[in-house]
């Protein structure tokens, strides 16, 4: 993820990471604004120079960030968890500059694929052997993405997929832009 983001970022760019947690990926201390519900993690990230600034936010459809103010908006391991895709994508379109880049990572979750097998085995073990309610509900994964499904979801919400590739057989990394069709 660090290489993915730094490969696109340039000096002076404004970057936001929506659903960033502790922004662990930002080892190069890029000037990132983090948006997340967990204030404790955000404060840790700022103290450790993983974030320049942050906003505590329970709904990523209402970030409070300025309109057309960002060169890059990142959502890593977030889209599979959210109910209100339409509203969140609308917010990304609002805060992203017209020529900005939307960067996404999601599990590559197709039936009987590597992620599907490993993830479900882990959820079964942790949920039913170890008793974790979180794992019984598949860690909050309510959406499942293949390359085609990610492309379709982006297109339905006003984004054109630039590139998508598989990392370690488990994750999809993608970039998209608004206002174009492909």
């Amino acid at each position: 993820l660090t290489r993915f983001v730094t490969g696109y970022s340039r000096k002076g760019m404004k970057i936001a990471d929506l659903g960033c947690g502790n922004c662990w990926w930002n080892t190069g201390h890029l000037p990132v604004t983090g948006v997340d519900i967990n204030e404790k993690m955000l404060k840790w990230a700022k103290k450790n120079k993983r974030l320049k600034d942050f906003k505590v936010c329970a709904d990523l459809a209402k970030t409070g960030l300025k309109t057309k103010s960002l060169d890059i908006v990142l959502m890593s391991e977030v889209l599979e968890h959210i109910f209100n895709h339409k509203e969140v994508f609308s917010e990304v379109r609002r805060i992203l500059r017209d020529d900005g880049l939307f960067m996404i990572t999601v599990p590559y979750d197709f039936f009987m694929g590597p992620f599907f097998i490993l993830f479900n085995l882990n959820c079964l073990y942790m949920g039913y052997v170890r008793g974790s309610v979180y794992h019984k509900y598949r860690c909050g994964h309510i959406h499942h993405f293949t390359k085609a499904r990610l492309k379709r979801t982006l297109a339905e919400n006003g984004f054109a997929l630039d590139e998508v590739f598989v990392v370690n057989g488990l994750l999809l990394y993608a970039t998209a832009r608004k206002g174009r069709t492909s």
Side-chain angles (χ1 to χ4, degrees), residues 80-139:
E80 66 273 17
H81 296 277
I82 59 176
F83 286 105
N84 57 339
H85 272 163
K86 184 177 181 177
E87 293 83 4
V88 171
F89 282 121
S90 179
E91 178 71 352
V92 172
R93 288 181 55 76
R94 184 187 70 77
I95 63 177
L96 192 62
R97 290 188 173 141
D98 289 337
D99 61 347
L101 187 66
F102 186 21
M103 302 182 80
I104 304 133
T105 72
V106 290
Y108 186 29
D109 192 5
F110 61 93
F111 184 68
M112 297 308 287
F115 179 87
F116 178 91
I117 293 167
L118 294 170
F119 182 73
N120 283 296
L121 284 173
N122 182 58
C123 287
L124 286 170
Y125 173 73
M126 292 300 293
Y128 295 93
V129 175
R130 303 288 306 269
S132 166
V133 174
Y134 177 69
H135 286 85
K136 282 183 183 179
Y137 290 97
R138 296 190 77 240
C139 306

Side-chain angles (χ1 to χ4, degrees), residues 11-78:
K11 188 176 176 96
M13 282 186 159
K14 293 186 178 178
I15 303 168
D17 186 346
L18 308 186
C20 66
N22 62 16
C23 206
W24 189 252
W25 66 266
N26 192 10
T27 56
H29 310 295
L30 296 173
V32 175
T33 298
V35 179
D36 200 281
I37 193 171
N38 190 323
E39 186 173 9
K40 185 176 179 181
M41 287 178 33
L42 291 165
K43 285 180 177 179
W44 180 94
K46 186 166 182 179
K47 178 183 171 192
N48 289 279
K49 299 180 182 169
R50 302 298 172 112
L51 293 175
K52 178 182 178 185
D53 196 9
F54 65 82
K55 288 192 174 280
V56 178
C57 177
D59 183 354
L60 293 178
K62 300 173 185 172
T63 64
L65 298 171
K66 291 181 183 177
T67 299
K68 295 186 180 184
S69 63
L70 298 161
D71 299 291
I72 295 175
V73 173
L74 171 66
M75 293 183 77
S76 180
E77 310 306 307
V78 174

